[in-house]
Amino acid sequence: MTQPITGGCLCGACRYETAAEPLNIRVCHCRLCQKATGAAFYARVQVPIETLSIAGPVGWYPSSDAVARGFCPNCGTTLFSRRDGGGVIGLAMGSLDEADRFRPTEHIWVSSKQAWLTLADGLVQYPGNP
Ligand SMILES: [Zn+2]
Ligand SMILES: [Zn+2]
């Protein structure tokens, strides 16, 4: 049996855990993810939403009709991207307890990738959604 995926925010107020295996592991370069994370890209591990238990406060912001972003209201850490229509939720890779546990399988929305960033990992790249 594999160990659960666990993680949390910078201040420790919000913790999460799931026993699920990742559905996919992607790096998104879209502008919404750049804005929502304040970072050059958003790397996340996607799991079925019903498998995730969250302890602590989470603020939610709907960045589009389809996706809501979850963050710690105390320290502001980006934690989640929730897609209710698809029954899935993304866990921000930087918030995992074992940040290096997973390796992304593809890059998406590279059409809006920041120009300085060179992707040399050999992973599949999609200009938009896969
Ligand atoms: Zn926090
Ligand atoms: Zn994105």
Side-chain angles (χ1 to χ4, degrees):
M1 185 181 157
T2 49
Q3 69 188 105
I5 302 171
T6 59
C9 67
L10 182 60
C11 77
C14 185
R15 299 282 307 163
Y16 61 81
E17 179 170 340
T18 173
E21 291 294 316
L23 298 167
N24 62 55
I25 305 161
R26 288 177 177 157
V27 181
C28 186
H29 299 267
C30 84
R31 287 293 295 147
L32 287 176
C33 283
Q34 290 176 15
K35 281 283 190 182
T37 61
F41 52 79
Y42 174 50
R44 94 296 181 266
V45 176
Q46 192 180 72
V47 296
I49 197 166
E50 74 273 8
T51 69
L52 189 72
S53 54
I54 298 173
V58 182
W60 293 100
Y61 178 77
S63 58
S64 71
D65 289 343
V67 177
R69 312 284 175 158
F71 56 92
C72 173
N74 186 51
C75 68
T77 298
T78 298
L79 293 167
F80 309 115
S81 51
R82 194 180 79 200
R83 192 175 285 273
D84 288 325
V88 294
I89 190 166
L91 314 174
M93 278 180 79
S95 74
L96 299 176
D97 289 337
E98 272 184 274
D100 244 354
R101 175 168 168 185
F102 301 104
R103 188 178 156 76
T105 49
E106 55 225 337
H107 293 273
I108 64 173
W109 286 102
V110 294
S111 57
S112 48
K113 177 181 73 64
Q114 295 198 356
W116 59 268
L117 179 63
T118 301
L119 303 178
D121 50 22
L123 299 179
V124 179
Q125 300 178 23
Y126 295 93
N129 271 323

